[in-house]
Amino acid sequence: MKKIIGLVGTNSDHSTNRMLLQFIQKHFSNQAQIEVVEIKDLPLFNKPENKQLPVSVQELAKKIEDADGVIISTPEYDHSVPASLINALNWLSYGIFPFVDKPVMTTGASYGTLGSSRAQMHLRQILDAPELKARVMPSSEFLLSHSLQAFNEDAGLIDFEQIEKLEGLFEDFQIFMDITNQLKSAHAINKKEAESFSWENL
């Protein structure tokens, strides 16, 4: 059974993105071992010169490193991902590189109609950065709109079509993880390039 990290892309205490990941965790419990992980306790990124990372960052990086894949669920603030998610990714690409060649699936929930579509587009750009180099599953974003009304009292998704789409995407993600985890020939070089990359030398 595959190990997947479900990364809550917000520091909000009450988030429908957290609810979405918890639904995914429960709904696919017979297909994968999914751990929902928070970023809200990470300190503000301050680029420590000695690259001594907080214990919470090291622990999160280890979970991602050990996982077969990562599902990131992000809300949308001002057409972008939340500052807290950017903060987490800044830490996870500073002296440590757990996302290099890591299979990633993006999801998102929002109160409005668009379901974090622009935030997910921005997230893909971030994950393609030289220090992250994640492998994001193409054409696969899951957009949960009007998320305050999307769940029932048992925290389950109400719309059967949404569940059906999510099931299809999750099945594709299982295949994507299998394929991606076989593409390891350049992994050592990719990681070395991420470690040695510097914007100052461009």
Side-chain angles (χ1 to χ4, degrees):
M1 186 174 285
K2 290 183 174 62
K3 292 172 59 178
I4 298 173
I5 293 300
L7 196 66
V8 181
T10 176
N11 59 357
S12 172
D13 289 330
H14 305 286
S15 170
T16 52
N17 281 277
R18 183 180 295 106
M19 292 177 67
L20 176 57
L21 285 175
Q22 289 169 341
F23 173 80
I24 291 171
Q25 179 187 47
K26 182 178 179 180
H27 192 72
F28 299 107
S29 60
N30 64 335
Q31 298 181 46
Q33 180 184 337
I34 302 172
E35 180 182 0
V36 177
V37 175
E38 301 284 350
I39 62 172
K40 60 183 180 179
D41 294 326
L42 298 183
L44 188 65
F45 181 68
N46 59 0
K47 199 176 182 180
E49 290 186 11
N50 61 3
K51 296 197 174 180
Q52 183 60 45
L53 302 176
V55 173
S56 56
V57 174
Q58 295 180 47
E59 291 175 346
L60 177 54
K62 182 68 165 57
K63 288 178 184 289
I64 293 171
E65 189 80 50
D66 293 344
D68 296 297
V70 179
I71 301 173
I72 304 177
S73 193
T74 180
E76 182 172 311
Y77 300 157
D78 299 328
H79 295 187
S80 182
V81 299
S84 55
L85 179 53
I86 294 176
N87 182 65
L89 295 174
N90 287 161
W91 277 121
L92 294 167
S93 58
Y94 188 68
I96 50 174
F97 306 95
F99 273 106
V100 172
D101 296 329
K102 185 66 62 176
V104 175
M105 173 180 165
T106 65
T107 67
S110 75
Y111 298 167
T113 304
L114 297 178
S116 82
S117 61
R118 288 164 294 197
Q120 288 191 51
M121 185 184 300
H122 185 207
L123 178 58
R124 287 171 179 272
Q125 291 178 317
I126 296 171
L127 290 169
D128 195 42
E131 304 95 325
L132 285 161
K133 284 183 175 289
R135 288 180 169 163
V136 185
M137 186 166 71
S139 305
S140 62
E141 60 186 8
F142 180 75
L143 308 173
L144 185 63
S145 59
H146 305 293
S147 58
L148 286 175
Q149 296 81 37
F151 298 90
N152 59 29
E153 293 180 355
D154 297 321
L157 283 176
I158 296 171
D159 189 334
F160 177 75
E161 288 187 1
Q162 289 279 40
I163 296 173
E164 195 172 37
K165 179 177 181 181
L166 190 57
E167 288 173 344
L169 289 174
F170 191 79
E171 185 175 347
D172 286 348
F173 188 50
Q174 297 261 35
I175 298 170
F176 183 73
M177 285 187 287
D178 286 336
I179 294 172
T180 302
N181 287 323
Q182 292 178 45
L183 304 176
K184 292 294 186 181
S185 300
H187 180 68
I189 295 173
N190 289 341
K191 199 156 191 177
K192 184 177 179 181
E193 287 180 349
E195 290 171 353
S196 61
F197 183 84
S198 172
W199 290 101
E200 286 87 357
N201 295 332
L202 292 180

